[in-house]
Amino acid sequence: MELTLSQMMSMITTFNQGRLDYTTSELSLYCNIALTELCDRVEMQSLDSTTVSSTTSGTSSLTIPTGCRFITSISNLSVGPSTLERTLAPTDWAEVDSRETQVGAPIKYALYRDQILLWPSADSAYSIQVRFQEQVPVLTSSTSTARVDAKWHPAVAFRAMALAAGARNDLEQEGVAQARYMSFVQSVPTDMADKQRGRPSLRPAWTRRNG
């Protein structure tokens, strides 16, 4: 069931015995915290994104995509699908720094600040695909809806109820709301499970092309 920010805030006050001492900004904050926590707990396919960048000879790093929350995989699309080196292996930036300079098809990557370090440095033009999860969009207006599958919207509301109750030191209500949240999250099939069963996600992942 799709819920707007306004509807979730109304659920919070109703659950917490109709309290009138919550400000709109406070309730909005709890909803956004709850949404972020949920996305940390459950990987949302609606936040999946892909970017493809082209290297040139000597390219040793790429810029982490704008709005990236975390990277799930990096692949060299210029290498055959059956080749082991198609998917780059993650490593530590210190290991990349400690290796002697080499050129070739990149087989490893490391993250350092806003950069994706490649090893070895590219010796030619390669199409490097980065799959990542986007930052969780903030709910701002009263009519905003969380950009995750609507099946997760009640979970956001339940967790926000717990946060709101805890902020007023209402431990009983906090416990009830948190139990509802945990039960709900555990009972709802993940986006990946839905995909495997043929149910479409909220929207398909999209691809950016750079370079």
Side-chain angles (χ1 to χ4, degrees), residues 89-112:
T91 187
D92 186 82
W93 66 266
E95 180 185 352
V96 173
D97 277 356
S98 67
R99 289 177 175 270
E100 62 179 86
T101 302
Q102 293 186 29
V103 293
I107 59 173
K108 292 188 176 184
Y109 77 91
L111 305 181
Y112 183 73

Side-chain angles (χ1 to χ4, degrees), residues 30-193:
Y30 297 146
C31 288
N32 278 292
I33 291 175
L35 175 59
T36 299
E37 288 185 0
L38 176 65
C39 291
D40 286 339
R41 174 182 288 273
V42 182
E43 187 171 327
M44 301 294 178
Q45 288 199 324
S46 58
L47 298 178
D48 284 348
S49 194
T50 303
T51 184
V52 178
S53 300
S54 298
T55 67
T56 58
S57 180
T59 298
S60 60
S61 66
L62 301 171
T63 301
I64 292 176
T66 302
C68 173
R69 188 156 148 262
F70 61 82
I71 290 174
T72 53
S73 71
I74 298 180
S75 305
N76 185 349
L77 301 182
S78 300
V79 176
S82 59
T83 307
L84 291 177
E85 286 76 17
R86 181 181 176 90
T87 300
L88 278 61
T91 187
D92 186 82
W93 66 266
E95 180 185 352
V96 173
D97 277 356
S98 67
R99 289 177 175 270
E100 62 179 86
T101 302
Q102 293 186 29
V103 293
I107 59 173
K108 292 188 176 184
Y109 77 91
L111 305 181
Y112 183 73
R113 294 187 176 177
D114 65 342
Q115 296 293 303
I116 300 171
L117 309 180
L118 303 176
W119 189 90
S121 298
D123 64 345
S124 182
Y126 296 105
S127 293
I128 306 298
Q129 174 183 270
V130 180
R131 292 188 180 277
F132 64 97
Q133 278 259 306
E134 299 175 0
Q135 296 286 349
V136 182
V138 176
L139 300 172
T140 52
S141 70
S142 61
T143 57
S144 297
T145 57
R147 212 188 76 194
V148 298
D149 195 303
K151 69 184 180 184
W152 296 110
H153 290 187
V156 177
F158 292 147
R159 177 59 186 143
M161 290 174 189
L163 291 170
R168 295 298 184 270
N169 204 32
D170 190 337
L171 301 184
E172 182 179 351
Q173 290 292 85
E174 179 185 16
V176 172
Q178 184 64 15
R180 287 186 182 181
Y181 168 69
M182 294 300 297
S183 175
F184 188 90
V185 170
Q186 291 168 4
S187 67
V188 175
T190 64
D191 289 356
M192 180 59 72

